[in-house]
Amino acid sequence: MTTDLPSRAAIEAAYERIRPHIRSTPILEIPGKVLGVAPTIVLKLEHTQIAGSFKARGAFNALLASPPPPAGIAAASGGNHGIAAATAAASLGMRAEIFVPSISAPAKQAKLRATGATLHVGGRDFAEAREACDAHAATTGARIVHAYDDPDVVAGQGTLALEFEQQAGPLDALLIAIGGGGLIGGVASWHRGATSVFGVESEGTGSMRASLDAGKIVDFAVSGLAADALGARRVGSIGFAAVQTHVREVVLVSDDALRDAQLRLWDALRLAVEPSGAAGLAALLTGKVAFPASARIGLVLCGGNLDPATLAAEK
């Protein structure tokens, strides 16, 4: 895969391309004390996006920028990319076959089936689902839409940063959850150091942190609460290059911290997000990153494909 980062012009072009097909998701600015932190918080409510996550941006851009062959598309996913790719394909009249691992959340599998895509469930993690996807594409000629290491996908994810900047104005920092690196790759490619970007992973999905420590992309055995959304065994080359070049720091948070942040968002604001969507708040609550009370900090609630009953069960 290429390590060339999307240019700002490519992200702007992607935004114009996908705007008729996605939502401009709202923001919510609140005093930090509402969530138990010092700085002012600006939330990007991307969990209200088409298909329930930011992934719709990259999926639509990939399909519109390079339409697939008659065999359609194939995508491997922990759940959210598959939902987005299947939703985009259905909207554009294209066939989709989606491959998810057995750890994919039942709520995500149900949403995938509802799109009309053909769903294949198997394998222990994203990497094994991807192997099945690759084999299918080799046999059928379907176009693979990679979850996070495709230039068109990353440019599409970068439109979130463009849109957030237009809505919120200057921010002192952005905290972005990392799975395979597609979202942070797009966000960092848009800001290019002009705004401080921090990455957040769970301790069980720390593939980016491990790769940074090794100085190269390495495999990481994923596990834990956020494994279905952030559980890329191996980060993408585009995201890795973006993080090395334009991201201030990547920090790790525990599953308990993710769960606490999820519950705070629900209790204080009635926002139901996946553990991955609460990663930025978890980093603030645990002091993994700290800012003065005068700062305005952007948090992206990146996904909402969960059963809300699980939040009540965790209390």
Side-chain angles (χ1 to χ4, degrees):
M1 280 288 184
T2 179
T3 56
D4 292 339
L5 305 186
S7 66
R8 285 174 64 94
I11 293 170
E12 289 171 338
Y15 194 48
E16 291 306 309
R17 190 178 294 123
I18 68 176
R19 283 179 74 177
H21 304 280
I22 65 163
R23 294 183 184 127
S24 175
T25 55
I27 65 170
L28 177 63
E29 184 161 350
I30 56 172
K33 64 183 180 181
V34 172
L35 294 170
V37 297
T40 295
I41 299 298
V42 186
L43 299 172
K44 178 66 167 160
L45 307 185
E46 192 67 9
H47 66 302
T48 65
Q49 184 55 265
I50 297 292
S53 81
F54 73 94
K55 297 279 191 177
R57 297 173 182 270
F60 269 108
N61 193 50
L63 298 190
L64 291 167
S66 302
I73 67 162
S77 169
N80 282 343
H81 172 64
I83 295 168
T87 300
S91 175
L92 299 172
M94 302 171 183
R95 179 179 178 181
E97 302 225 9
I98 309 298
F99 296 77
V100 301
S102 57
I103 61 170
S104 179
K108 293 180 180 180
Q109 292 184 30
K111 288 197 72 169
L112 274 164
R113 290 189 175 93
T115 67
T118 300
L119 177 63
H120 305 266
V121 181
R124 294 171 298 173
D125 56 20
F126 170 78
E128 292 189 358
R130 182 181 174 187
E131 290 171 2
C133 177
D134 290 349
H136 167 80
T139 301
T140 64
R143 179 193 168 191
I144 294 174
V145 180
H146 197 283
Y148 51 81
D149 213 17
D150 177 304
D152 289 331
V153 169
V154 177
Q157 316 308 24
T159 67
L160 183 150
L162 181 163
E163 186 177 278
F164 199 0
E165 182 177 80
Q166 290 178 344
Q167 294 169 313
L171 294 168
D172 293 292
L174 284 164
L175 274 60
I176 305 294
I178 301 177
L183 178 58
I184 200 165
V187 170
S189 294
W190 175 256
H191 287 290
R192 295 182 177 266
T195 298
S196 294
V197 177
F198 293 79
V200 186
E201 297 178 294
S202 73
E203 292 169 351
T205 62
S207 50
M208 184 67 78
R209 182 67 266 167
S211 295
L212 291 172
D213 291 342
K216 62 181 181 180
I217 297 174
V218 297
D219 287 347
F220 184 88
V222 299
S223 63
L225 184 66
D228 70 325
L230 302 182
R233 184 192 302 175
R234 190 175 182 87
V235 298
S237 58
I238 303 173
F240 184 63
V243 169
Q244 284 187 308
T245 308
H246 297 303
V247 171
R248 285 280 300 274
E249 187 178 1
V250 173
V251 301
L252 303 177
V253 296
S254 68
D255 281 357
D256 285 344
L258 287 176
R259 192 174 291 108
D260 178 54
Q262 263 189 298
L263 292 174
R264 288 199 188 214
L265 287 164
W266 175 249
D267 288 341
L269 300 170
R270 283 301 185 257
L271 296 173
V273 302
E274 299 174 46
S276 56
L281 178 59
L284 287 173
L285 288 168
T286 55
K288 294 299 180 75
V289 290
F291 303 97
S294 59
R296 291 176 75 237
I297 306 302
L299 303 182
V300 177
L301 307 188
C302 55
N305 287 317
L306 80 166
D307 180 352
T310 61
L311 292 175
E314 290 172 0
K315 290 180 69 68

